[in-house]
Amino acid sequence: MHRLARPPDAALEWAAEIVGSSIRSVKPLTGGMSTGIHLLQTEKGERVVMRRFLNPHWLAIDPHLAPREAAVLQALEPTPVPAPPFVGVDPYGDRCQAPTVLMGFVPGRRVALDDHRRYASELARAMATIHDIAPPPIDGLPDESDQIPRMASEESPNRHGSNPSPAFWKDVVERLPAVTFGPNVLLHGDFHPGNVLFARNRLSAVIDWPLASAGQAASDVCMCRMDAGLMLGLHVADMVLDAYEAETGAPVADVGWWDLFTASRADTALESWHESYAGLGPSDLTLQDVTERFDAFVARARASS
């Protein structure tokens, strides 16, 4: 099932039952490399977003993506975290032919602001707001701090859809004993420029929560800064780190190692990362640009860890 294809009638009937009004229009939304995302408008004029998990490989690795995202969205509703409101969930696709989350519509678009310093500040403020939240008591919420030692025993663990080369991962593992782990915070788990929305140059929502977990704040920070750096230049990666440390009033510990740990997600998948920047980053961004920036990012991480 292609992610841009119209949701099946059964899914739209389910959504209509949840919101209490028939669906008048269906519009595919950009983003979502492994999910189908559609804006639904009801006969009453209400707008909701339907997110269907369609990648069988991802679901085989983690079948609980939809119920986890739904539980996290519900847990975030009383907090200041700018996340979409929860509307409904079909956890394992019994009604919708695929695991599905229904959430409220938040105005905004996926865009990299031309003012990079402001962009970094908005990203950092959102991350700090998330990290102020204690991990909610959700069944099945992964603990990344527990997962990392287990992954360290593997030759090439799955890193959210891709596997680093054994040599790259060995380098990450050999540096792990020097890393200090503090109390866990709530992590988004995939905090990057494609998973935030902006309206009038202000961050309006953090979206895409199925990889949420408990863990170290540096995990989100270094994910965000690497992705922004690959897309816009490594000076922007440094702006993100500086802005986060200014927002929290504390340095991020072991940045070099967390940069390297994050880079293991992209080590063998740079073509996919380059593809994900389409419509978000500079129109003239090439795979060579991304590759050269990645190599420089990794070299800096190794030198500082």
Side-chain angles (χ1 to χ4, degrees):
M1 185 184 301
H2 193 276
R3 62 189 180 86
L4 296 180
R6 180 183 173 90
D9 290 343
L12 299 178
E13 291 169 3
W14 169 82
E17 291 177 16
I18 296 294
V19 299
S21 177
S22 58
I23 305 303
R24 183 173 66 192
S25 65
V26 181
K27 177 184 177 181
L29 298 177
T30 60
M33 297 293 288
S34 61
T35 62
I37 306 176
H38 289 78
L39 175 63
L40 313 182
Q41 185 161 347
T42 72
E43 292 291 349
K44 295 180 179 179
E46 181 181 3
R47 291 186 292 179
V48 293
V49 174
M50 172 178 282
R51 172 181 170 92
R52 295 173 300 132
F53 293 83
L54 302 174
N55 188 312
H57 178 62
W58 278 54
L59 290 170
I61 295 169
D62 186 350
H64 309 301
L65 296 172
R68 182 182 304 121
E69 179 169 48
V72 171
L73 291 178
Q74 292 176 82
L76 291 176
E77 285 183 342
T79 77
V81 174
F86 171 76
V87 177
V89 61
D90 180 12
Y92 301 106
D94 294 338
R95 294 286 308 276
C96 299
Q97 301 176 21
T100 300
V101 176
L102 203 61
M103 62 198 84
F105 173 76
V106 179
R109 61 192 182 102
R110 299 165 65 250
V111 63
L113 301 183
D114 292 334
D115 184 341
H116 292 165
R117 197 165 298 280
R118 178 168 186 172
Y119 186 52
S121 179
E122 291 288 319
L123 295 171
R125 185 176 300 113
M127 284 191 290
T129 303
I130 294 167
H131 299 159
D132 280 341
I133 307 298
I138 295 172
D139 288 342
L141 186 71
D143 185 328
E144 187 182 63
S145 298
D146 285 343
Q147 289 179 332
I148 289 173
R150 292 198 297 271
M151 288 193 297
S153 65
E154 300 180 37
E155 182 181 44
S156 176
N158 185 279
R159 298 291 286 117
H160 302 293
S162 65
N163 297 72
S165 68
F168 194 106
W169 185 246
K170 181 180 179 182
D171 193 19
V172 174
V173 172
E174 287 178 346
R175 299 166 191 261
L176 177 58
V179 178
T180 300
F181 286 76
N184 280 344
V185 300
L186 176 64
L187 298 180
H188 177 273
D190 199 24
F191 195 106
H192 62 76
N195 281 337
V196 293
L197 303 179
F198 280 82
R200 297 182 179 179
N201 291 330
R202 297 297 300 270
L203 191 149
S204 59
V206 181
I207 59 175
D208 198 350
W209 289 88
L211 299 183
S213 66
Q216 305 296 291
S219 183
D220 270 351
V221 174
C222 292
M223 173 68 193
C224 179
R225 86 188 212 93
M226 185 187 78
D227 212 330
L230 297 186
M231 182 175 67
L232 299 171
L234 296 192
H235 66 291
V236 181
D238 294 337
M239 286 181 185
V240 171
L241 177 62
D242 291 345
Y244 183 85
E245 291 181 336
E247 187 71 31
T248 61
V252 177
D254 302 310
V255 169
W257 186 85
W258 286 102
D259 280 348
L260 201 60
F261 176 69
T262 296
S264 71
R265 290 179 62 168
D267 173 44
T268 59
L270 287 177
E271 289 188 11
S272 295
W273 287 57
H274 174 247
E275 179 186 346
S276 73
Y277 300 137
L280 176 63
S283 60
D284 59 351
L285 182 69
T286 67
L287 177 58
Q288 182 177 346
D289 293 331
V290 173
T291 301
E292 290 176 353
R293 290 169 182 173
F294 177 79
D295 290 343
F297 184 85
V298 169
R300 295 196 325 181
R302 286 175 171 149
S304 61
S305 61

